[in-house]
Structure formats: C-alpha cells, structure tokens
RNA sequence: GCGCCCAUCGUCUAUCGGUCAGGACAUUAGGUUUUCAUCCUAGUAAGCCGGGUUCGACUCCCGGUGGGCGCGCCA
C-alpha cells in the first residue's frame, strides 16, 4: 500500500517551529517512499481559527519548499462525516450520551473505551501499552453538537486514507484513544510515529520566550529556508554517518523513521546560524542579494539603494555574512558621512602618529587609479616611507574610511566605495578626528 | 498523585556487546589574512547512579535519580 501522510495544523496563530518540523518529517517520509503528503487545516475551533493563520501556514510551507499533494482538506467542511461517525458509534454501542452535569450544558456524546488493555507499535518509540484501568471514556461530541478533536481527527484521517501518522510526542497518550476509535469505526489502524519534542535550555518545550519560535521570525531574522530546513532535520534525526549539511535529495534518500531518536532535542541557534552562513556563502549572487534586499528594506536607509553599488557590496560581504539581517551593519557603504564608532576612533585615530600616517597614505593614493590592487600598492609604499610593518596602517585607514573597526578587506572596501567618497572620508578623518 | 516516555562532550548527534567512544556547533591555543568573518591545524570536553546478565557492557535486564508528556465538553 502506498504511503499517505499528512500535516494537520490548526490555524490559530503563527506557525511554531515544532509544528513545521513535524510537517518536514512527514514530507520527507512521503518523498522517501514516493507517497503522498497531504495538508489538512483543522479549523474547527471557530473561536480561534483565522484566515490570516491559514495564510501563515501556507506561507511557511511555501517558503520552506514543503509542497503538499492533492487539495487541502478543511476540517470544518467535514462536519457531516464527523456526526455520521458519532451516530454510528452510538448505534453500535461504542458511544453513549450523558449529561456530565455541573454547568448544565446538557448531553454530550462519550466514546466507550473497550475496557481492555491496549497496545500499539510506534515506529520511533517501539511497543507502547496501557492498562484498561488507566484509560477513561472521553467526549467525542460536545453538548452543543460540535465534534471534539479526537473524533474529527480520526474521521478525517480515515477520509484522507492516511497510512502513517507522524506527529509530536505530546500525542502519544491520545493514540490509545485514537486506535480504539479506528477499531470501533471498523477502519484499518494506521502506523504511528511520535517525534521527540524540541525543547529549550531548561528542557521545556521550545517557545517564543526562548527567542525565535515561529517560522516567520526565523525568516525575518535572516535565516534561509534551506538552512532552516536542513537544521530542523537534524533535530532528532541523523543520516547515520557524519553528514550534516545535505541537499534535500540527500536527506530524502537517507530519511527513515527508525533513525529518529526518541529523546527530546534542544534548539541551538548558534549551530543554526553557522549552518546558515554556509548556505548563504554558496548562494548565487542574485539570490544572496535578494535576501539582503528583503532584510534591508525594513531600514530607513535600506531602500532605493544604488543597484550597482549594492551588488558590489553584496559580492564583497557574502562570504562573511551568516545572517541576511547582518547586512544592517553595512550602512557605511551607502550613507555619507559614515557613523564613526567612538571606541574605534579613540583606539585608532586619536593616537600619536595617526595623522601623519593617514596623510602619508593620502599622498600615495591616486584618485584616477582606485582598484584594490593599486590601493594595496599605495598603502605598501606609505608603510615603507614611514618605516612601519606591512598592514600596520590598515586599521587606522579602515576606521577613517568606514567608521568601524570591522569589515571586509579595507582595500576592497575602498575600491567598492570609489575614490571620491573614500578620499573625502579620509580627508575628513585627518582634519577632524586625529589629534 | 496516577500513567506513559526519555537519559553519550555545554548543545545536536554516531555507536545497533569488543572503538584510543567518532563528527558538528560552541569553546581554547596556534596558523593564514589587514580587522572581523571565512579557512587550516591542534587542544579541552561525554556514557546520570547502583545492581545484575556476559569472557566482555554506553549498548541487554532490574531498581533508583533526574527530566518530559498526558490525565479538558482545547487541539
């Protein structure tokens, strides 16, 4: 039988990283087995479900390249089927009506657990079982006539012909109920696989309070979809060898449920960031540029930048940019005069000999020949004239021209900046910032 | 409280009874470079505890401890 899996989020807010990881694992499983990956929007909670949240789910999936097969199923359209199932359970004695009282809400429908011990095989956790005494009957239809999650979820999975249910660890206990429902409904029980949770440094479920927790946030922070996808894949799973940075095809072909761990995994933003840097570095310039543009567009100085200059800056900075959002430190390339970092100025410019050094450099620099190699040569001459070692003048020059003590090679930086701007800044620094 | 699950460097992980317990991130020290980053080299760093089983346990079993999840007319 061919594999059919699904991602069944409820559209009640942003897309949590743990949820999207479940989607990724389902998708990987489907692709590995040449099966189908379906999307079901569990929008029965009318109070909390919103169209915006549905869109957020669609956006997150599209961004990460998790394509679903077939038309998405909206759970709210399945109400008749849910009720039909409840009626049939009522008829054959697997369910009964009762007024649980207390709040005077009237009668609801409860599912009658079989009263026997239960067991199922989890593809990740192995054989799991539970004693009859530890399982209670549960509500499947509220007194207001609406179906509860357990019923709707199982009925929809039957409707969609789901063969494998891959979901978060927090659903393990529900599985006994769901298996009983399948059996009472006379449907074949699917295979189950429960993914370990993603936790924070305290071992608690990873939440928005631990930094970024939603897919949209990672995107805003400048992570690339491929890097996030790859990293998430490594949380609770590994290919079995030392590979980490892998292409999608490699992951698909290596992905099996028996290699998924059952212990919770802690999110490590530093490792994600490192991996992101590897991905950004190998992006075609145009793609890197568009990621940066997206990030910069939020800044007051980041819009309508000179295209040729922008591309040159991207080319220069790409290999040292671990996050798109780090481009916010590139302001000095575009805005004159640059913002001078006080500490850098104190350390490199306000010192004995700085003025003379910069003046010497100024004399050797030729506005008509401003390639990085000729700038390089000019600096070497200045150093020779002053009797200092190679590279000794670089930092002072860097601070004078960019205002910052960090950046790409200063010769390349100046070449990108161009002679007029570089020389103007140098002149300004000599006159105003040295002492 | 009851039930279920989990446990290898700080973190993510490899190991499916015999390994100097490997890799990656982070970290430390060098090197390259012009600062930062990249890159290269090297280093520090792990089997929760206690019992068994076995010629031999990180690996299998039991107990303990710790942690997580569940116990809704939420999903």
């Amino acid at each position: 039988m061919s594999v059919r899996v699904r991602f069944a989020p409820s559209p009640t807010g942003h897309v949590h990283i743990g949820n999207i990881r479940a989607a990724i694992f389902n998708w990987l499983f489907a692709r590995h087995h040449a099966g189908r990956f379906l999307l079901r929007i569990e929008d029965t909670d009318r109070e909390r479900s919103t169209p915006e949240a549905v869109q957020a789910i669609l956006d997150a999936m599209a961004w990460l390249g998790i394509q679903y097969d077939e038309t998405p199923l909206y759970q709210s359209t399945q109400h008749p089927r849910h009720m039909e199932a409840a009626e049939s359970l009522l008829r054959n004695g697997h369910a009964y009506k009762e007024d649980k009282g207390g709040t005077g809400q009237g009668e609801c429908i409860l599912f009658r657990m079989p009263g026997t011990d239960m067991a199922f095989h989890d593809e990740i956790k192995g054989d799991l079982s539970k004693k009859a005494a530890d399982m209670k009957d549960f509500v499947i239809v509220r007194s207001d006539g609406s179906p509860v999650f357990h019923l709707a979820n199982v009925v929809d999975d039957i409707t969609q012909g789901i063969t494998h249910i891959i979901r978060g660890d927090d659903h393990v206990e529900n599985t006994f109920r769901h298996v009983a429902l399948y059996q009472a409904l006379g449907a074949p029980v699917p295979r189950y696989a429960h993914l370990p949770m993603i936790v924070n440094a305290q071992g608690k479920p990873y939440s928005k309070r631990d930094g970024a927790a939603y897919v949209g946030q990672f995107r805003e922070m400048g992570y690339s979809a491929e890097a996030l996808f790859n990293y998430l894949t490594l949380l609770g799973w590994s290919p079995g060898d030392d590979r980490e940075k892998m292409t999608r095809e490699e992951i698909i072909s290596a992905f099996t449920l028996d290699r998924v761990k059952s212990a919770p995994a802690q999110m490590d933003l530093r490792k994600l960031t490192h991996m992101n840097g590897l991905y950004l570095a190998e992006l075609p310039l145009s793609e890197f540029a568009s990621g940066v543009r997206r990030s910069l567009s939020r800044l007051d100085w980041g819009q309508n930048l000179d295209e040729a200059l922008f591309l040159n800056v991207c080319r220069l900075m790409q290999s040292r940019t671990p996050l798109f959002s780090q481009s916010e430190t590139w302001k000095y390339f575009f805005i004159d005069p640059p913002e001078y970092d006080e500490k850098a100025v104190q350390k490199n410019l306000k010192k004995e000999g700085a003025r003379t050094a910069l003046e010497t450099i100024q004399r050797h620099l030729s506005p008509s020949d401003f390639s990085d190699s000729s700038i390089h040569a000019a600096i070497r001459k200045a150093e020779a004239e002053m009797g200092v070692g190679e590279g000794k003048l670089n930092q002072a020059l860097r601070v004078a021209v960019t205002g910052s003590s960090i950046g790409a090679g200063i010769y390349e930086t100046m070449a990108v900046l161009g002679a007029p701007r570089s020389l103007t800044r140098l002149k300004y620094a000599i006159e105003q910032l040295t002492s």
Side-chain angles (χ1 to χ4, degrees):
Chain A
M1 185 168 62
S2 87
V3 164
R4 290 174 69 83
V5 295
R6 47 66 168 181
F7 173 44
S10 30
T12 54
H14 299 284
V15 186
H16 190 270
I17 205 71
N19 284 122
I20 206 67
R21 170 162 148 285
I24 289 173
F25 279 44
N26 272 285
W27 184 87
L28 249 17
F29 184 75
R31 291 293 174 267
H32 180 87
H33 292 285
R36 298 257 175 177
F37 170 72
L38 313 186
L39 174 63
R40 178 167 79 239
I41 305 291
E42 299 206 332
D43 58 348
T44 38
D45 185 342
R46 285 318 203 171
E47 292 288 292
R48 298 192 296 154
S49 298
T50 66
E52 293 72 32
V54 171
Q55 195 53 48
I57 291 167
L58 264 19
D59 288 347
M61 291 176 72
W63 181 59
L64 284 164
I66 311 171
Q67 315 86 340
Y68 51 81
D69 304 307
E70 305 183 9
T71 309
L73 182 72
Y74 284 76
Q75 188 162 66
S76 54
T77 65
Q78 299 299 299
H79 190 258
R81 283 178 193 268
H82 301 156
M83 296 317 289
E84 208 174 286
E87 291 301 330
S88 107
L89 289 172
L90 231 29
R91 276 197 303 278
N92 62 24
H94 284 298
Y96 58 94
K97 291 185 176 177
E98 184 182 303
D99 185 342
K100 294 184 82 182
T103 47
Q105 295 171 96
E107 284 192 322
C108 56
I109 302 176
L110 281 87
F111 178 75
R112 194 191 310 280
M113 285 300 280
T116 56
D117 293 353
M118 296 196 60
F120 70 93
H121 177 78
D122 189 284
E123 303 291 315
I124 294 169
K125 295 178 172 300
D127 292 319
L128 303 177
S129 60
K130 202 151 179 92
K131 298 265 193 307
D134 296 322
M135 296 179 285
K136 298 187 296 186
D137 294 353
F138 59 95
V139 174
I140 53 176
V141 178
R142 300 187 186 86
S143 48
D144 68 0
S146 62
V148 165
F149 163 73
H150 303 295
L151 210 223
N153 187 265
V154 166
V155 169
D156 292 348
D157 279 333
I158 293 172
T159 300
Q160 291 189 293
I162 303 304
T163 60
H164 298 255
I165 293 178
I166 304 169
R167 65 203 336 183
D169 230 352
D170 48 342
H171 280 297
V172 173
E173 304 290 327
N174 289 333
T175 306
F176 295 100
R177 294 180 177 135
H178 295 182
V179 168
L181 270 173
Y182 273 97
Q183 290 169 338
L185 255 11
V189 181
R191 311 287 294 179
Y192 284 95
H194 288 93
L195 268 18
M197 308 290 276
I198 296 179
V199 301
N200 62 20
Q202 287 70 243
K204 304 286 186 188
Y206 196 84
S207 80
K208 58 174 180 281
R209 297 201 319 223
D210 303 305
Y214 302 129
V215 176
Q217 290 180 294
F218 284 92
R219 189 177 185 190
E220 291 316 307
M221 288 192 298
Y223 289 99
S224 85
E226 285 304 315
L228 183 61
F229 182 100
N230 192 159
Y231 177 75
L232 252 21
T233 262
L234 262 16
L235 245 33
W237 176 84
S238 81
D241 49 42
D242 288 339
R243 286 178 298 166
E244 291 201 328
K245 184 167 179 294
M246 292 177 279
T247 64
R248 225 165 253 235
E249 289 63 38
E250 287 175 313
I251 298 173
I252 289 171
S253 110
F255 189 83
T256 54
L257 290 176
D258 62 352
R259 292 215 55 84
V260 177
K261 296 228 317 174
S262 55
Q266 193 175 312
M267 185 86 181
D268 184 356
L269 256 15
R270 290 175 305 187
K271 185 156 180 168
L272 202 211
T273 304
H274 175 264
M275 181 169 273
N276 199 58
L278 300 181
Y279 273 92
L280 296 201
E282 65 181 25
L283 243 31
L285 182 65
S286 61
E287 276 180 49
F288 177 75
S290 73
V292 171
R293 200 176 280 115
R294 189 171 187 285
S295 194
L296 249 29
S297 68
R298 293 195 297 263
L299 275 34
D300 55 357
W301 59 268
Q303 295 138 58
N304 307 314
L305 300 174
D306 178 87
E307 188 62 11
L309 173 62
F310 175 68
L311 253 22
N312 282 335
V313 174
C314 284
R315 192 176 290 113
L316 178 63
M317 302 302 280
Q318 182 169 5
S319 72
R320 64 187 62 231
T321 305
L323 280 176
F324 283 128
S325 57
Q326 191 173 294
S327 56
E328 62 196 30
T329 64
W330 300 355
K331 187 174 179 181
Y332 63 83
F333 279 108
F334 303 99
I335 306 298
D336 288 283
E339 290 169 359
Y340 285 90
D341 174 56
E342 197 47 45
K343 279 174 70 179
V345 170
Q346 281 301 332
K347 186 177 176 202
N348 297 287
L349 266 27
K350 303 266 188 215
K351 67 173 186 186
E352 194 68 33
R355 182 177 188 126
T356 318
L358 291 181
E359 284 170 342
T360 308
I361 289 172
Q362 193 178 34
R363 262 190 288 112
H364 285 88
L365 250 15
S366 162
S368 59
D369 184 10
F370 221 67
S371 68
D372 59 342
S373 58
S374 37
I375 294 171
H376 187 132
I379 306 305
R380 286 292 95 93
K381 276 186 229 163
E383 284 159 351
E385 183 178 320
M386 294 198 63
V388 300
E390 292 191 356
K392 290 296 179 198
L393 268 29
N394 290 327
Q395 274 311 81
L397 178 59
R398 173 189 301 285
V399 175
V401 174
T402 71
S404 169
S405 60
I406 60 176
I410 185 58
Y411 314 141
E412 293 93 320
T413 299
M414 287 170 70
V416 166
L417 238 24
R421 297 173 70 204
S422 297
L423 265 15
T424 300
R425 291 177 181 194
L426 183 55
K427 182 165 182 283
Y428 172 83
I430 289 170
E431 292 167 358
Q432 307 294 323
L433 302 173
T434 54
S435 58

